[in-house]
Amino acid sequence: VQLQASGGGLVQAGGSLTLSCAASGSISGISAMGWYRQAPGKARELVAAIVTGGATNYGDSVQGRFTISRDNAKNTVYLQMSSLKPDDTAVYYCNMVYRTRAFSPSREYWGQGTLVTVSS
């Protein structure tokens, strides 16, 4: 199983950036995908998550600025980030809850992370 994240980089405050994360490998079904982030010296926190049915959940600090979406056919999740602030600077990690076979226990997998830097 792999999670390939892309789209990180350097952006000025107020700008926009879109992250994508594609899942591949021995996957029977994905129940949820999401993004977490970890800034230096801080704990990892939820940015946004989306389940198969389309319901979403956002961290309080990004509500109204970030939008998560998912292409189920491509096993890919996107994070559109706008009105970026220097406080959004962090390593962003893609997360997936999935099954390798029907009715098998759910598993969780983390991608390697992509760095987002917002300059003031």
Side-chain angles (χ1 to χ4, degrees):
V1 173
Q2 278 192 329
L3 287 175
Q4 184 65 49
S6 61
L10 175 64
V11 63
Q12 287 189 332
S16 300
L17 207 60
T18 298
L19 305 181
S20 64
C21 177
S24 62
S26 189
I27 298 170
S28 172
I30 300 173
S31 56
M33 296 187 80
W35 292 93
Y36 290 73
R37 68 186 182 186
Q38 187 166 19
K42 295 187 177 181
R44 190 172 296 190
E45 63 175 358
L46 171 70
V47 177
I50 184 168
V51 297
T52 302
T56 58
N57 187 31
Y58 292 93
D60 290 342
S61 62
V62 306
Q63 187 79 36
R65 299 188 297 122
F66 291 10
T67 301
I68 190 169
S69 60
R70 180 176 161 182
D71 186 333
N72 291 327
K74 296 182 179 180
N75 285 343
T76 299
V77 64
Y78 305 94
L79 184 68
Q80 294 175 282
M81 305 183 291
S82 60
S83 302
L84 283 160
K85 306 173 182 179
D87 284 349
D88 294 317
T89 295
V91 177
Y92 284 69
Y93 296 92
C94 183
N95 174 272
M96 173 177 70
V97 178
Y98 71 104
R99 287 186 169 87
T100 57
R101 297 187 306 276
F103 307 111
S104 66
S106 293
R107 300 183 183 190
E108 186 176 32
Y109 192 83
W110 292 89
Q112 289 190 337
T114 184
L115 178 62
V116 173
T117 303
V118 184
S119 63
S120 57

